[in-house]
Amino acid sequence: MAPRPFLILFVTGSRIGDAVLSSGLVRTLVDEIPGARFTVVGSALTVPLFADTPGLDRLIVMDKEKRSGHWFGLWRQVRGKRWGLVVDLRGSAIAAALRPKRRAVHRKSATPAHKVIEAARLLKLEADPPAPFLFTSPETEARAAAITAGPGPILAMAPAANWVGKTWPVERFAQVARRLIGPGGPMAGGRLMVVGGPGDTAACDPLRASVGKDRCIDLVGRESLTVVYAALKRARLFIGNDSGLMHMAAAAGTPTLGLFGPSDEDLYAPWGPKARALRGTRTFEEIKALDPTLSQAITHMMDLSADSVYGAAVALLDDTEPEIEVATAIEIQSDTEADESLPE
């Protein structure tokens, strides 16, 4: 008789950024509990991120209802299973209602920390927090490879955000793009990949128009999030506002430059050794003093110049030389040495 599979209910955040920042927990559970079966719960925005998770039984979209009716609806869908573990990033009472063998429920901490560390606390992994990571299937990778096929390095940019206050002017994105991939730039001859959601078309139009169609990879609302993530793996550099796409780029291992204004980089900076956060002349606290509720319908990013972003991008490119180039150089050197050793 086959042993009963270990069932894990993973309740992720409703925003893409929060879901990505806690995604390393899923990878840890996949690695440490062989054969575990996963049910992932999230919003319509976030559940697609986990579509390629190994051992996935089900994705559940939980839409918000009045008087917390969405939680009762979720309980009715999952109450019939014997859960080995419930991980709840939203801090609800669902774990207590289901009575799993183990539960890991988010609780607000008196000591705020980066969201990756905050998520790691659920599984007592804060000393070595799991980096954000999304699984992709061979089919997803093949689709991304086909979309990005072509000559030259890829500069990925995401000029939209979930609030106008966090958006750097799109015209400045275009200026930086032209300098980076234009003649004489550090990515000369490269292509521009524009990423965004279905509602970001207008915000991205000026950036897409800044280069010829033959040099633009348009991923604005055109592909699944897992395909976009796989495509970001193939970019040489990503530049974007503080957004879910920024966190996806960093999770993909792409050198990522996140542009910050009215959000706290101590909590939301892109995570990883190839990720950097950049802001203008004002601190987060100074911006919040002018807009205490962070709700004004104006951009708070005007103090970040195109020259500053370009300089930071060049520095990040210098700090993250592609490994393939190093390997190629070693191979060339080895071939040369071999040629010199041949008899005349």
Side-chain angles (χ1 to χ4, degrees):
M1 185 174 178
R4 187 188 300 273
F6 191 85
L7 303 182
I8 298 176
L9 180 68
F10 190 87
V11 183
T12 190
S14 60
R15 296 187 300 179
I16 292 174
D18 292 335
V20 172
L21 289 171
S22 62
S23 62
L25 298 184
V26 175
R27 184 186 192 182
T28 297
L29 293 170
V30 168
D31 290 344
E32 295 191 359
I33 308 178
R37 306 298 303 180
F38 290 83
T39 295
V40 179
V41 180
S43 68
L45 286 174
T46 59
V47 291
L49 292 165
F50 301 91
D52 290 341
T53 300
L56 181 68
D57 278 336
R58 189 179 178 191
L59 295 174
I60 299 178
V61 175
M62 185 172 63
D63 295 320
K64 193 171 183 179
E65 299 176 10
K66 293 180 180 179
R67 295 184 290 276
S68 299
H70 48 290
W71 289 110
F72 181 66
L74 174 63
W75 175 78
R76 287 190 300 178
Q77 291 188 69
V78 300
R79 62 178 176 172
K81 292 185 179 293
R82 305 174 95 180
W83 298 101
L85 171 65
V86 173
V87 179
D88 180 9
L89 274 298
R90 298 200 202 178
S92 73
I94 191 70
L98 294 173
R99 298 183 180 179
K101 292 181 181 178
R102 289 184 56 199
R103 67 187 72 173
V105 182
H106 177 266
R107 295 286 181 260
K108 190 172 182 179
S109 174
T111 56
H114 192 283
K115 295 302 177 180
V116 170
I117 297 174
E118 198 172 276
R121 288 172 176 166
L122 270 71
L123 298 182
K124 297 181 171 57
L125 298 172
E126 58 266 40
D128 187 19
F133 179 88
L134 300 175
F135 289 96
T136 51
S137 67
E139 294 77 15
T140 296
E141 292 291 338
R143 176 61 181 160
I147 291 169
T148 58
I154 296 174
L155 168 64
M157 285 185 159
N162 63 352
W163 168 45
V164 67
K166 295 164 64 175
T167 55
W168 196 51
V170 66
E171 296 79 9
R172 298 187 190 180
F173 274 102
Q175 291 175 33
V176 173
R178 287 192 294 265
R179 291 178 68 181
L180 287 170
I181 66 176
M187 299 177 66
R191 292 169 292 152
L192 175 64
M193 182 163 72
V194 185
V195 292
D200 297 335
T201 299
C204 295
D205 276 346
L207 180 57
R208 288 183 290 196
S210 66
V211 299
K213 286 187 177 181
D214 60 329
R215 298 184 65 192
C216 183
I217 303 169
D218 185 358
L219 287 182
V220 181
R222 292 174 177 266
E223 297 287 343
S224 69
L225 285 177
T226 50
V227 169
V228 171
Y229 174 74
L232 286 169
K233 292 180 186 180
R234 292 157 170 82
R236 176 67 182 89
L237 176 68
F238 171 93
I239 303 175
N241 303 309
D242 172 28
S243 67
L245 289 166
M246 175 197 73
H247 292 300
M248 285 174 60
T254 300
T256 297
L257 182 61
L259 310 183
F260 281 72
S263 50
D264 190 349
E265 62 268 45
D266 288 342
L267 304 181
Y268 293 102
W271 185 270
K274 297 180 181 180
R276 309 284 187 272
L278 180 70
R279 65 168 51 253
T281 57
R282 296 177 299 166
T283 65
F284 169 65
E285 290 74 18
E286 288 172 331
I287 293 174
K288 194 172 182 181
L290 296 173
D291 185 7
T293 60
L294 297 178
S295 59
Q296 293 181 11
I298 58 171
T299 179
H300 289 295
M301 306 280 286
M302 297 301 292
D303 61 334
L304 180 57
S305 70
D307 284 342
S308 295
V309 173
Y310 176 78
V314 172
L316 183 53
L317 287 170
D318 289 342
D319 290 344
T320 55
E321 286 292 334
E323 293 180 7
I324 188 170
E325 292 183 8
V326 175
T328 302
I330 293 172
E331 289 169 7
I332 291 172
Q333 182 181 6
S334 299
D335 290 344
T336 303
E337 291 172 354
D339 290 343
E340 291 175 349
S341 65
L342 292 173
E344 296 182 359

